[in-house]
Amino acid sequence: MTSTVPALGTLTAEGSALQAVLLDMDGTLVDTEGFWWDVEVEVFATLGHTLDPSWRHVVVGGPMTRSAGFLIEATGADITLAELTVLLNEGFEDRIDRALPLMPGAARLLAELHEQSIPTALVSASHRRIIDRVLSVLGAHHFTLTVAGDEVSRTKPFPDPYLLAAAGLDARPERCAVVEDTATGVAAAEAAGCRVVAVPSVAPISPAAGRTVVTSLEEVDLAFLRGLMTDML
């Protein structure tokens, strides 16, 4: 398990205004956003309910408390949030145990950041138990620290997870590059004051000030991320 305890000392990306790279997990590094929806559909089917496909855009990218709570209210299912959370986590773990595909370009980007000693954090709304399972595939050595959704009082779309990650890497938020795939994650990173690269997975994301939109991680490398900070040099 990668510790969420702040790293000691000052960590910098030498020769650049870029101090750290903060990465989302589901849909950004691993192709799992569809896994969550499939599990939600299966669990609610066992409860006698059919999920409306349009709800997928409502629940994607957010904390489980929000997405699960929405689905309970929308369906009227006779289940508590705590009970549903257990079922969803168990169903997701079963799926990633069978297969955990990486997003195109993810392995190359993580390897480059590691080889160049760039302080890197994994920042996810998923629970710690899920993150630790995924880290066994991504490689815990690629991350200086990790932040899980159940380890902060307010997770995405609030800025707290990204502020915590930046502080743990002794980095200023405005000098951190964040890579995200959902509007919820982008909102969290921008609220924290970070520069954002959006790689939309399920729903489109529009470009905006301080935000760059790409179609794949294959377009992103260290030079690209450093280029986001050129106005700070």
Side-chain angles (χ1 to χ4, degrees):
M1 182 178 78
T2 303
S3 173
T4 57
V5 176
L8 297 177
T10 300
L11 302 172
T12 59
E14 295 298 334
S16 169
L18 177 69
Q19 290 184 329
V21 177
L22 317 178
L23 301 127
D24 174 55
M25 186 177 76
D26 294 301
T28 299
L29 294 177
V30 289
D31 192 6
T32 51
E33 287 293 8
F35 284 14
W36 282 113
W37 177 250
D38 290 344
V39 169
E40 288 160 350
V41 168
E42 291 173 1
V43 168
F44 275 89
T46 66
L47 298 172
H49 298 276
T50 300
L51 300 188
D52 188 321
S54 66
W55 295 343
R56 182 175 182 179
H57 296 292
V58 178
V59 300
V60 67
M64 186 175 293
T65 52
R66 188 196 73 182
S67 57
F70 168 82
L71 292 174
I72 290 173
E73 182 176 353
T75 61
D78 184 19
I79 190 170
T80 67
L81 182 60
E83 292 169 337
L84 181 57
T85 296
V86 171
L87 293 178
L88 293 177
N89 275 324
E90 289 178 346
F92 186 79
E93 287 176 13
D94 178 63
R95 283 184 174 267
I96 63 177
D97 283 345
R98 284 182 272 154
L100 184 59
L102 301 188
M103 298 299 287
R108 174 202 45 80
L109 177 60
L110 290 176
E112 181 182 15
L113 295 175
H114 181 67
E115 289 166 2
Q116 297 299 318
S117 300
I118 305 300
T120 304
L122 185 67
V123 184
S124 176
S126 289
H127 290 187
R128 168 57 56 188
R129 60 186 282 186
I130 298 296
I131 288 181
D132 287 343
R133 298 286 277 272
V134 174
L135 280 173
S136 66
V137 175
L138 285 177
H141 65 283
H142 287 124
F143 305 98
T144 309
L145 61 83
T146 65
V147 177
D150 56 340
E151 296 172 340
V152 291
S153 58
R154 301 189 308 172
T155 189
K156 305 172 188 179
F158 294 100
D160 306 36
Y162 282 113
L163 291 174
L164 178 63
L169 297 175
D170 287 339
R172 289 161 45 192
E174 66 271 19
R175 292 180 63 177
C176 292
V178 169
V179 185
E180 272 281 359
D181 73 302
T182 68
T184 299
V186 167
E190 290 180 343
C194 304
R195 302 293 175 94
V196 179
V197 178
V199 193
S201 60
V202 175
I205 299 173
S206 301
R211 178 195 310 167
T212 302
V213 180
V214 299
T215 59
S216 168
L217 283 183
E218 292 182 319
E219 301 176 44
V220 181
D221 58 14
L222 181 54
F224 180 95
L225 296 173
R226 282 177 167 161
L228 302 176
M229 309 286 167
T230 53
D231 62 325
M232 294 186 177
L233 294 175

